[in-house]
Amino acid sequence: MEEQQQTHKPPQRVVVCGGGVIGVCTAYFLAQKGAAVTLVEKSSVACAASGKAGGFLALDWCDDGPLSSLARASFNLHRSLAQELDGPQSYGYRPLTAFSISITESKPHYNSPSSALPSWVDGPARDPKIIGNTETTAQVHPQLFTRTLLSKAVADHGVEVVIGKLERVEVEGGRVRSVALEGGREINADVVVLALGPWTSKFSLLSTIFRVYGLKVHSIVLEPKVPDAITPHALFLSYHTARGGKPTDPEVYPRPTGEVYLCGPSAEAEVPDDPEQVVGDPESIAVLKRVATAVSSHLGEGEVRVKAEQACFLPCTDDSVPVIGEVPGVKGCYVATGHNCWGILNAPATGVAVAELVMDGCASIVDLSPFSPARYVKR
Ligand SMILES: Cc1cc2nc3c(=O)[nH]c(=O)nc-3n(C[C@H](O)[C@H](O)[C@H](O)COP(=O)(O)OP(=O)(O)OC[C@H]3O[C@@H](n4cnc5c(N)ncnc54)[C@H](O)[C@@H]3O)c2cc1C
């Protein structure tokens, strides 16, 4: 490792492709370390999962698995980034308490809430348990977080943003030379980072080594008429429908903006080429509205304005572990993807690790070996 560091030459020009939370964090930390960075995004920054996620963060929920140190480092980085960046243009970082509850769909009937639950959770909830406290769980508004970080990277570190679709990574003599965008533009680069979320497998450079598939998830954003009634408590539900069957596990996140975000179960689906074509299916959206009504009298029809009805894709790998590292056989081409349901949490430490790998030749914030794309290459 020492030898690698001594011989490592930092790159002149880095192109990061993909303007989701992973690409933006990577661009931010690369630029902070002195790289000249261009970020290429085909639609708009945080237009996909990184803008439509819940934004829930947990210190220790990935313990006992390969993500533990990435998650712990990221949770702490979120706290320090918020101290540094979450000023008047707030992106909604705050610690919060998380509950698990069991709830059954019914005609709205509200009780005096159980003393074990926040007062706005007045639906027929059972078995409340505290599963995270203000030391171990927190949240951000993911779209505002991603866009705030990018604005800072542009203003303070000169990151250039190009709206354009990556078509190809040009390779010469086994090394990255440039990226080619749709329409013929070419940007020279000695390093390229591909942070394309569920679009990763559209590139044969990567899909010949590993697969990233998309799980489609629906979500809604509600604006309650009485936002002050809703306190900072995240809810992880076991939701039983009146018809019976297997319960589902929707999540409810009140935000400091006064909004309440809900998301539902996931299903494998084809990822459309254009992120703007990812739309929600009306039945899945209707289910989320019924969940909101069951949870709280403050979230029922007539009590809220529906701000968003949407869907997006979790980027998933076959072994459920993200892929972070240099692409085997292509010097200077790195990948950071496959963060599944923890991409908002794990973006900061992913960004720092990739920046260290590119600029210093190895990552010190976390051991990247469990995430290496080389694990898919048969020996
Ligand atoms: C409903 C839902 C709730 C979630 N809640 C949480 C949560 O509470 N906490 C948490 O930690 N995680 C959560 N996640 C997971 C998290 O949102 C994702 O892991 C994360 O956003 C993935 O980020 P990404 O940058 O890899 O991908 P994306 O956000 O999908 O970004 C990829 C970007 O690449 C761009 N792109 C694609 N192809 C090209 C191309 N050819 N050229 C240029 N650009 C291109 C796309 O336009 C897109 O902007 C949630 C996810 C979902 C779906």
Side-chain angles (χ1 to χ4, degrees), residues 282-293:
E283 180 46 30
S284 302
I285 297 293
V287 169
L288 287 174
K289 290 180 183 169
R290 290 204 289 278
V291 172
T293 304

Side-chain angles (χ1 to χ4, degrees), residues 17-369:
C17 300
V21 71
I22 302 298
V24 166
C25 282
T26 302
Y28 176 86
F29 289 109
L30 271 166
Q32 204 180 54
K33 277 181 90 62
V37 180
T38 302
L39 179 94
V40 176
E41 161 56 46
K42 91 168 152 191
S43 180
S44 60
V45 169
C47 62
S50 302
K52 294 173 181 162
F56 182 78
L57 315 173
L59 174 70
D60 52 3
W61 290 20
C62 300
D63 281 0
D64 305 326
L67 287 171
S68 174
S69 52
L70 190 71
R72 283 180 167 267
S74 274
F75 188 84
N76 293 329
L77 274 168
H78 267 292
R79 192 188 291 123
S80 54
L81 281 170
Q83 280 159 3
E84 198 184 320
L85 305 176
D86 195 11
Q89 305 277 299
S90 170
Y91 62 74
Y93 174 87
R94 68 176 174 184
L96 82 178
T97 304
F99 284 91
S100 70
I101 56 173
S102 189
I103 201 155
T104 304
E105 178 189 27
S106 59
K107 290 231 160 51
H109 74 92
Y110 301 106
N111 313 309
S112 310
S114 138
S115 58
L117 280 169
S119 58
W120 56 275
V121 186
D122 52 3
R126 299 183 315 278
D127 306 328
K129 284 190 199 67
I130 293 183
I131 53 173
N133 60 46
T134 52
E135 294 299 310
T136 60
T137 47
Q139 69 180 146
V140 292
H141 185 304
Q143 188 183 65
L144 297 180
F145 169 70
T146 306
R147 292 185 177 171
T148 301
L149 210 65
L150 185 60
S151 303
K152 188 80 179 156
V154 170
D156 291 5
H157 306 299
V159 168
E160 183 195 7
V161 180
V162 171
I163 297 298
K165 180 180 173 192
L166 170 74
E167 266 193 345
R168 270 183 331 278
V169 176
E170 302 289 4
V171 179
E172 203 175 81
R175 274 210 77 91
V176 160
R177 191 194 68 203
S178 62
V179 296
L181 307 189
E182 190 177 62
R185 180 169 174 189
E186 206 164 311
I187 306 174
N188 291 335
D190 38 12
V191 162
V192 173
V193 181
L194 300 173
L196 299 165
W199 287 274
T200 302
S201 286
K202 309 242 178 228
F203 290 84
S204 59
L205 183 72
L206 302 175
S207 64
T208 48
I209 304 173
F210 63 93
R211 178 173 85 120
V212 174
Y213 63 95
L215 286 181
K216 189 172 181 182
V217 190
H218 290 77
S219 57
I220 56 174
V221 182
L222 306 176
E223 281 180 341
K225 283 186 185 157
V226 194
D228 292 347
I230 316 281
T231 49
H233 295 95
L235 307 177
F236 290 80
L237 309 182
S238 172
Y239 181 73
H240 305 255
T241 65
R243 279 170 284 131
K246 204 168 160 252
T248 56
D249 49 2
E251 297 164 15
V252 184
Y253 304 128
R255 288 178 167 161
T257 48
E259 301 164 349
V260 178
Y261 171 97
L262 284 95
C263 62
S266 59
E268 193 165 343
E270 175 68 24
V271 181
D273 200 38
D274 179 359
E276 304 303 332
Q277 280 171 7
V278 181
V279 287
D281 125 60
E283 180 46 30
S284 302
I285 297 293
V287 169
L288 287 174
K289 290 180 183 169
R290 290 204 289 278
V291 172
T293 304
V295 166
S296 171
S297 58
H298 297 281
L299 301 180
E301 212 184 321
E303 298 303 317
V304 293
R305 184 179 87 84
V306 181
K307 189 175 173 191
E309 299 177 350
Q310 59 199 11
C312 58
F313 285 89
L314 296 170
C316 305
T317 56
D318 287 325
D319 58 9
S320 307
V321 176
V323 187
I324 308 168
E326 196 167 22
V327 176
V330 191
K331 271 263 132 297
C333 187
Y334 296 79
V335 63
T337 188
H339 288 72
N340 206 315
C341 61
W342 286 117
I344 308 299
L345 168 65
N346 287 323
T350 298
V352 171
V354 174
E356 289 177 339
L357 187 61
V358 167
M359 300 300 282
D360 308 334
C362 69
S364 63
I365 187 167
V366 286
D367 172 15
L368 282 181
S369 53

